[in-house]
Amino acid sequence: EVQLVESGGGLVQPEGSLRLSCAASGFTFSNYDMNWVRQAPGKGLEWISYIASSSITIYYADSVKGRFTISRDNAKNSLYLQMNSLRAEDTAVYYCARLIAGRAFDIWGQGTMVTVSS
Amino acid sequence: EIVLTQSPATLSLSPGERATLSCRASQSVSSSLAWYQQKPGQAPRLLIYDASNRATGIPARFSGSGSGTDFTLTISSLEPEDFAVYYCQQRSNWPPDIFTFGPGTKVTIK
């Protein structure tokens, strides 16, 4: 079964750090570009970061640029998101998502909740 | 940056009725538009990619059309499980190279 499973969410204080992980299974992870998408409580979807299959290309949304770092380990079939200098507005469910045809997210994890609060 | 606008914000229909959801882009995205369904407490599910291609396992009652700036998701006959929020999404082909989601249309039971 094709699957993505996120972990690492939790409660963190403002200006704190957190590292999210996404474990992939059921497909050849190294063949696919991957992304992180988040959703604040009661709000819509916001794409935040992209990484190419080989890690050669990386993009970030302006809202997280300079604070978040995306990475992957193809040998471990894993995607990561290092989040630093967290703010209250970063509170959201964070999803990892596989990209197909360079344009659409066809497989999503179940999400991991990040709460930034003192 | 391309902005996606969805209308209506909320659509109240009965099971068996036809649903027509609109997504408009602030500039042309060619056919690079996808649609997702999201139910409460669940991750989004890809329905349509490249404007009109159904994703794997998506029922034929879901169809997408359009190109350029105007796109439509049609649900030919609503099933009880179709009441959800629907998002459109595009990827820019030029800098800033980003992905954008629309604000969503909530389809509710009338």
Side-chain angles (χ1 to χ4, degrees):
Chain A
E1 180 191 4
V2 174
Q3 196 172 11
L4 297 170
V5 178
E6 302 94 337
S7 60
L11 175 64
V12 60
Q13 292 189 338
E15 293 303 313
S17 298
L18 213 54
R19 189 194 195 208
L20 305 183
S21 299
C22 170
S25 59
F27 65 100
T28 305
F29 179 71
S30 59
N31 286 351
Y32 290 88
D33 301 346
M34 297 295 296
N35 295 262
W36 288 97
V37 177
R38 70 183 180 184
Q39 186 170 36
K43 302 297 185 182
L45 301 168
E46 179 190 17
W47 167 83
I48 57 172
S49 189
Y50 158 98
I51 185 167
S53 58
S54 62
S55 302
I56 197 167
T57 303
I58 286 173
Y59 301 120
Y60 297 100
D62 286 345
S63 58
V64 305
K65 199 174 294 181
R67 301 187 299 123
F68 290 12
T69 302
I70 191 172
S71 63
R72 65 190 295 163
D73 185 335
N74 287 343
K76 294 183 178 180
N77 293 328
S78 293
L79 175 72
Y80 306 100
L81 186 68
Q82 177 67 43
M83 304 186 296
N84 298 330
S85 303
L86 283 161
R87 307 166 179 166
E89 54 266 35
D90 295 318
T91 294
V93 175
Y94 285 72
Y95 297 101
C96 59
R98 189 177 81 170
L99 190 69
I100 60 162
R103 293 180 287 277
F105 307 113
D106 69 326
I107 304 296
W108 297 66
Q110 86 288 351
T112 187
M113 183 70 201
V114 172
T115 303
V116 184
S117 175
S118 55
Chain B
E1 178 181 332
I2 296 176
V3 176
L4 298 178
T5 303
Q6 291 187 243
S7 61
T10 304
L11 190 57
S12 295
L13 295 169
S14 301
E17 289 193 294
R18 183 183 187 89
T20 303
L21 287 65
S22 174
C23 178
R24 178 164 291 178
S26 58
Q27 55 189 286
S28 177
V29 298
S30 184
S31 296
S32 297
L33 191 101
W35 290 94
Y36 302 84
Q37 176 193 68
Q38 188 179 33
K39 299 177 182 179
Q42 296 184 17
R45 177 174 70 144
L46 177 66
L47 300 175
I48 302 288
Y49 66 97
D50 288 349
S52 61
N53 296 312
R54 269 190 303 276
T56 303
I58 301 304
R61 65 180 181 273
F62 291 93
S63 63
S65 63
S67 66
T69 60
D70 291 296
F71 299 87
T72 300
L73 174 70
T74 301
I75 311 171
S76 59
S77 178
L78 283 163
E79 297 287 340
E81 62 267 29
D82 298 337
F83 292 93
V85 179
Y86 293 83
Y87 295 95
C88 58
Q89 170 260 317
Q90 68 85 32
R91 175 180 184 172
S92 300
N93 290 324
W94 49 82
D97 202 328
I98 61 172
F99 301 82
T100 309
F101 289 92
T105 290
K106 187 174 184 179
V107 179
T108 65
I109 300 176
K110 188 173 183 180

